[in-house]
C-alpha cells in the first residue's frame, strides 16, 4: 500500500470525499491525466474488466474555476527566427492541455489521416486513415448542432460526419454557438469567389475550404468541455483511480517488459515508490514529456542516453525527433476606406444562446495560396537533400522517414486537398495566418548535462523555419492575403495595408519580416514519438506499442507522424478512443496476437 494521497481531492482538500487507497498493482497504468490519458482511462475502466490508474503531476483544480496551471518551459533559441526564445505552453493540471486550451475544436482534412497510413507500418491495414479515424471522431465527440437561424450566415452542417446522440454528459461536446459576427459575411462571400476555394459541407467533413467551426463547450452549462468533465468527473468507478500531484520519474522493466512506473509525490523526490502494471504502461504525458520519460527510462537515441549517463534499454533514435507545431504570424492587417456593407438578410435577431462564438475559418492548399509559385516551391522542396535541414548528426533512419514525408508533402503541395494555410475571419481586415503544415522538424531531448532528473525540463527546440521552404510558404500566405483584400470582390473597399505595410514588396523583404514576426507554436506540439516504421525513425507501430520492449504504448499527441491541418485536441481524443478499442481487443483480431505477446 502507498501511504500518501490519492484520488479526487484530498490533496487540494476542498471536498469531503472518501479517501481511496491507491493499490500497488493495476492492469493498466496511464502516465499523464491529460487529454488522451483520461479518455483512455475512462474507456479501459468502462467494462469493469480492468483496473486502471491514471497518474497526473498537476492538481485537480477547484470545480468551476478555469484552471490555468502550466509547465514553465522556455524553448531553445531559434536560429531561423533571429535567435529568439519562446515560451513552451503545456497544461499541468487534471485534464492536461484540454483544461487550458483555446477550445477551438477542429478536425484535420481527410488527407492528413490518409498520410498517417502511408507513413504507417501497414500492420493494421486501413484503420489509420480518414475512414478509420472518422469512426473514432464519431465516438469521441457529441455534436451540438447549429441552430437553424445561423444558416443565414452560410453555415453548413451534415450529420453524416457526426455520431449519434449519446445521451450522456460523459462525453466531449463540439458546440455551435449562436453568436456569429455579421461582419464576417462579406469575407465569406468574397472568399467563395476565389478560384479553388469551396464551402465545406461540414466542419468535420475532412474537406478544406471555408467552414464554420465549433468550440469544445458544454451545451447545458456553457462551460469548457474537456477530458476531465467528459472522462473523469462523476464516474466514481472502483476500478478507475486518479493519483494527482504525482510525478512519474521513469518506467520500470522486468527484463524486456514494462512492469510499472517509479513515482514520487510533487515536491518530495525522496519518497520514490513503484506502482506496477499487469498489462501495460500507457504513456499519455503529451508531446513534450512523453519523449522525456522514454529517454529517462533508457529508450531513445543511444548516444544521447550515454552522454546523460542513462543505461540504454532500447536504442530508438526517433524518440524526441520529428517534433512539429503549427507556426503563426500575429497580424497581417489592413484598414478599409469604407467597410463592406453587411447584407440585410443578416439583420436578424439571433438569440444569444450563451454557447459562445461560432467562427469562420479558411483552410486552403498551396495551389490556391499561390497559383504562380506552388509548383516552384514543390520542386525546390522535393529536390532538397533530406538531411540538409535536419539537425547535424541526425540518425539515418530518421532521415529516411523524413525523406518519405518530404516526398508526400511535395506531392501534396501540388494538390488542393492538403492545407498549407489556416486563418480565421474576425470580421475586421486583420488576419493571423498559420503555416499549418511546416516542413521544418525540431527536437525534444533531455539535457545530457543534467542527466536523469525528471524535474529538469527537456530542451525544446522548435527549429521553426530551419527549412527555408516554410518561410517561402509564409511569404506566399502574406501575398495571398494582400491579393484577397485588395483584389477580387473586396477591391472596391480600397483596403490599405497596415502590417507589414509599405517597404515589404520583394520576397526577400517579406522573408526577413516573416522571420522577425513568426511565433513557432500555436501550442500544438506533436510528433515526438511518431507512429512510423522503426526503419523510418518511428517510435511506435500502428498498434502504438513502443518498439523494442513489451507492454509499453504511447497514446497522446506524440504519435502523430505529421501534424494535422487543425487544432489538435479533437484528433487526440479520436486517437485515444481508437487505441482504447484496440487495447480492449474488441475490434481487430490480429491485434489480439500482438497485444497478447506484448503483455504476457
Ligand atoms: C494554451 C494552449 C492552447 C491550445 N489551444 C487549442 C485549441 O484551441 N484547440 C485545440 O484543439 N487544441 C488546442 N491546444 C492543443 C491541445 O490542447 C493539445 O494538442 C492536446 O490537449 C494534447 O493532449 P495530450 O493528451 O497529448 O497531452 P496533455 O493534454 O497536455 O496531457 C499530458 C498530461 O501529462 C502530464 N504529465 C506530463 N509529464 C508527467 C509526469 N512525468 N508525471 C505525471 N504526469 C505528467 C501533464 O501534466 C498533462 O496533464 C492548445 C494547447 C495549449 C497548451
Ligand atoms: C510554474 O511557475 C509557477 C509560478 O512560479 C508555479 O506556481 C507553478 O507551479 C509552476 N509550474 C510547474 C509545473 O512547476
Ligand atoms: C544567432 O546566433 C548564432 C550563434 O550564436 C550567430 O552565429 C548568428 O549570427 C545569430 N543570428 C542572428 C540573426 O542574430
Ligand atoms: C440528445 O438527447 C437528449 C435526451 O435524450 C436531449 O435532451 C438532447 O437535446 C439531445 N442532444 C442533441 C444534440 O440532439
Ligand atoms: C446533462 O447535464 C444537464 C445539466 O447539466 C442535464 O440537464 C441533462 O439531463 C444531462 N444529460 C444526461 C443525459 O444526463
Ligand atoms: C435592422 O432591422 C431593424 C428593424 O428590424 C431596422 O430598424 C434597422 O435599421 C436595420 N438595420 C440595418 C443595418 O439595416
Ligand atoms: C476607392 O477609391 C476610388 C478611387 O480613388 C474611389 O473612386 C472610390 O470611391 C473608393 N471607394 C471607397 C469604398 O472608398
Amino acid at each position: 500500500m502507498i501511504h500518501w494521497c490519492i484520488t479526487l481531492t484530498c490533496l487540494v482538500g476542498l471536498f469531503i470525499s472518501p479517501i481511496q487507497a491507491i493499490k500497488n498493482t493495476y492492469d493498466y497504468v496511464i502516465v499523464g491525466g491529460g487529454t488522451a490519458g483520461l479518455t483512455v482511462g475512462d474507456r479501459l475502466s468502462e467494462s469493469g474488466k480492468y483496473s486502471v490508474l491514471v497518474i497526473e503531476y498537476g492538481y485537480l483544480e477547484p470545480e468551476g474555476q478555469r484552471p490555468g496551471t502550466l509547465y514553465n518551459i522556455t524553448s531553445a533559441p531559434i536560429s531561423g527566427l533571429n535567435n529568439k526564445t519562446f515560451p513552451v505552453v503545456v497544461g499541468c493540471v487534471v485534464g492536461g492541455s484540454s483544461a487550458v486550451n483555446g477550445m477551438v475544436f477542429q478536425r484535420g482534412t481527410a488527407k492528413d489521416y490518409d498520410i498517417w497510413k502511408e507513413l504507417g507500418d501497414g500492420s493494421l491495414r486501413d484503420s489509420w486513415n480518414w475512414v478509420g479515424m472518422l469512426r473514432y471522431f464519431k465516438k469521441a465527440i457529441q455534436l451540438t448542432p447549429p441552430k437553424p437561424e445561423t444558416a443565414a450566415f452560410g453555415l453548413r452542417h451534415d450529420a453524416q460526419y457526426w455520431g449519434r446522440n449519446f445521451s450522456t454528459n460523459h462525453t466531449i461536446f463540439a458546440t455551435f454557438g449562436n453568436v456569429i459576427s455579421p461582419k464576417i459575411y462579406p469575407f465569406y462571400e468574397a472568399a467563395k469567389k476565389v478560384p479553388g476555394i469551396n464551402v465545406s459541407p461540414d466542419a468535420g467533413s475532412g474537406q478544406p475550404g471555408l467552414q464554420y467551426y465549433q468550440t469544445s463547450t458544454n451545451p447545458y452549462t456553457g462551460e469548457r468541455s474537456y477530458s476531465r468533465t467528459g472522462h473523469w468527473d462523476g464516474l466514481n468507478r472502483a476500478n478507475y483511480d486518479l493519483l494527482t500531484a504525482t510525478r512519474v520519474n521513469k518506467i520500470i522493466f522486468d527484463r524486456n517488459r514494462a512492469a510499472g512506473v517509479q513515482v514520487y509525490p510533487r515536491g518530495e523526490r525522496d519518497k520514490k515508490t513503484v506502482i506496477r502494471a499487469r498489462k501495460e504502461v500507457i504513456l499519455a504525458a503529451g508531446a513534450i514529456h512523453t519523449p522525456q520519460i522514454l529517454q529517462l527510462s533508457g529508450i531513445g537515441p543511444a548516444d544521447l542516453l550515454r552522454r546523460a549517463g542513462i543505461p540504454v534499454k532500447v536504442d530508438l533514435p526517433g524518440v524526441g525527433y520529428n517534433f512539429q507545431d503549427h507556426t503563426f504570424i500575429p497580424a497581417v492587417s489592413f484598414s478599409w476606406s469604407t467597410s463592406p456593407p453587411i447584407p440585410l438578410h443578416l439583420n436578424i435577431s439571433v438569440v444569444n444562446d450563451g454557447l459562445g462564438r461560432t467562427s469562420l475559418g479558411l483552410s486552403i492548399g498551396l495551389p490556391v495560396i499561390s497559383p504562380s509559385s506552388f509548383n516552384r516551391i514543390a520542386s525546390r522542396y522535393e529536390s532538397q537533400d533530406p538531411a540538409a535541414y535536419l539537425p547535424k548528426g541526425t540518425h539515418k533512419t530518421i532521415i529516411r522517414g523524413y525523406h518519405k514525408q518530404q516526398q508526400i508533402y511535395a506531392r501534396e503541395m501540388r494538390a488542393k486537398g492538403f492545407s498549407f494555410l489556416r486563418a480565421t475571419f474576425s470580421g475586421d481586415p486583420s488576419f493571423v495566418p498559420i503555416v499549418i503544415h511546416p516542413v521544418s522538424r525540431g527536437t525534444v531531448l533531455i539535457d545530457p548535462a543534467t542527466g536523469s532528473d525528471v524535474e529538469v525540463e527537456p530542451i525544446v527546440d522548435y527549429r521553426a523555419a530551419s527549412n527555408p521552404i516554410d518561410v517561402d510558404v509564409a511569404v506566399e500566405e502574406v501575398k495571398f492575403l494582400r491579393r484577397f483584400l485588395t483584389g477580387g470582390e473586396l477591391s472596391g473597399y480600397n483596403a490599405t495595408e497596415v502590417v507589414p505595410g509599405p517597404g515589404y514588396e520583394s520576397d526577400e523583404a517579406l522573408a526577413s519580416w516573416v522571420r522577425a514576426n513568426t511565433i513557432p507554436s500555436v501550442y500544438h506540439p506533436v510528433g515526438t514519438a511518431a507512429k512510423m516504421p522503426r526503419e523510418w525513425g518511428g517510435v511506435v507501430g500502428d498498434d502504438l506499442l513502443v518498439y523494442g520492449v513489451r507492454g509499453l504504448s504511447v497514446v497522446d499527441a506524440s504519435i502523430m507522424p505529421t501534424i494535422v491541418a487543425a487544432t489538435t485536441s479533437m484528433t487526440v481524443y479520436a486517437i485515444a478512443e481508437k487505441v482504447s478499442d484496440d487495447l480492449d481487443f474488441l475490434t481487430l483480431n490480429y491485434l489480439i496476437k500482438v497485444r497478447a505477446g506484448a503483455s504476457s
Side-chain angles (χ1 to χ4, degrees), residues 371-500:
S372 61
S373 304
F374 75 90
N375 209 22
R376 178 178 51 83
I377 293 174
S379 302
R380 191 190 297 166
Y381 182 46
E382 74 196 340
S383 64
Q384 282 181 354
D385 169 356
Y389 299 104
L390 297 177
K392 273 194 187 56
T394 296
H395 194 267
K396 62 179 188 302
T397 56
I398 298 169
I399 295 170
R400 218 177 285 143
Y402 183 73
H403 190 208
K404 185 74 192 167
Q405 294 184 8
Q406 179 187 4
Q407 289 168 333
I408 291 171
Y409 274 38
R411 180 189 77 205
E412 298 301 335
M413 282 172 172
R414 299 184 171 100
K416 288 183 183 158
F418 192 69
S419 182
F420 272 89
L421 166 66
R422 243 199 198 267
T424 292
F425 294 97
S426 64
D428 297 318
S430 176
F431 300 87
V432 181
I434 298 175
V435 175
I436 208 79
H437 277 125
V439 302
S440 300
R441 296 289 178 265
T443 55
V444 177
L445 301 171
I446 55 167
D447 182 351
T450 44
S452 55
D453 188 350
V454 73
E455 299 271 331
V456 177
E457 294 291 359
I459 299 170
V460 178
D461 191 351
Y462 288 108
R463 301 185 79 257
S466 54
N467 192 317
I469 293 293
D470 289 334
V471 178
D472 292 351
V473 170
V475 165
E476 294 307 324
E477 291 184 354
V478 175
K479 287 156 71 181
F480 168 82
L481 291 170
R482 280 179 170 167
R483 289 195 307 276
F484 178 58
L485 263 285
T486 58
E489 279 286 294
L490 297 172
S491 62
Y493 306 103
N494 298 357
T496 310
E497 186 176 313
V498 180
V499 182

Side-chain angles (χ1 to χ4, degrees), residues 141-151 155-166 172-180 202-203 212-215 217-220 350-351 353 355-356 358:
I141 312 295
Q142 167 78 63
L143 178 77
T144 311
K147 306 292 190 313
E149 58 264 39
T150 57
L155 195 155
R156 290 201 198 160
H157 161 60
D158 183 342
Q160 71 166 301
Y161 298 107
W162 301 89
R164 60 187 170 78
N165 182 348
F166 302 116
I172 307 296
F173 294 98
T175 295
F176 280 112
N178 263 2
V179 178
I180 302 179
D202 186 285
Y212 287 93
Y213 56 79
Q214 299 94 332
T215 59
T217 300
N218 181 312
Y220 301 103
V350 175
V351 177
D353 56 6
L355 300 183
T358 291

Side-chain angles (χ1 to χ4, degrees), residues 249-368:
N249 192 39
K250 61 178 176 182
I251 302 154
I252 301 298
F253 294 92
D254 277 348
R255 290 196 301 279
N256 214 25
R257 193 182 80 82
V261 291
Q262 186 188 63
V263 301
Y264 58 86
R266 189 162 172 166
E268 298 179 79
R269 304 148 79 147
D270 52 330
K271 292 199 185 155
K272 291 196 178 72
T273 185
V274 168
I275 301 174
R276 301 183 70 83
R278 269 185 294 263
K279 286 182 176 294
E280 262 181 51
V281 172
I282 299 174
L283 290 178
I288 303 300
H289 293 108
T290 283
Q292 179 202 29
I293 295 165
L294 284 168
Q295 289 159 14
L296 293 177
S297 308
I299 301 175
D303 54 337
L304 173 74
L305 302 185
R306 284 197 195 98
R307 277 186 288 135
I310 296 170
V312 179
K313 182 91 199 157
V314 185
D315 177 14
L316 204 49
V319 176
Y321 281 78
N322 192 52
F323 178 39
Q324 298 160 61
D325 201 326
H326 301 130
T327 72
F328 72 102
I329 294 173
V332 172
S333 66
F334 301 80
S335 66
W336 300 123
S337 158
T338 312
S339 317
I342 294 160
L344 277 178
H345 77 281
L346 293 181
N347 186 15
I348 49 174
S349 53
V350 175
V351 177
N352 182 348
D353 56 6
L355 300 183
R357 182 172 291 275
T358 291
S359 301
L360 176 66
L362 179 67
S363 169
I364 53 176
L366 201 56
V368 182

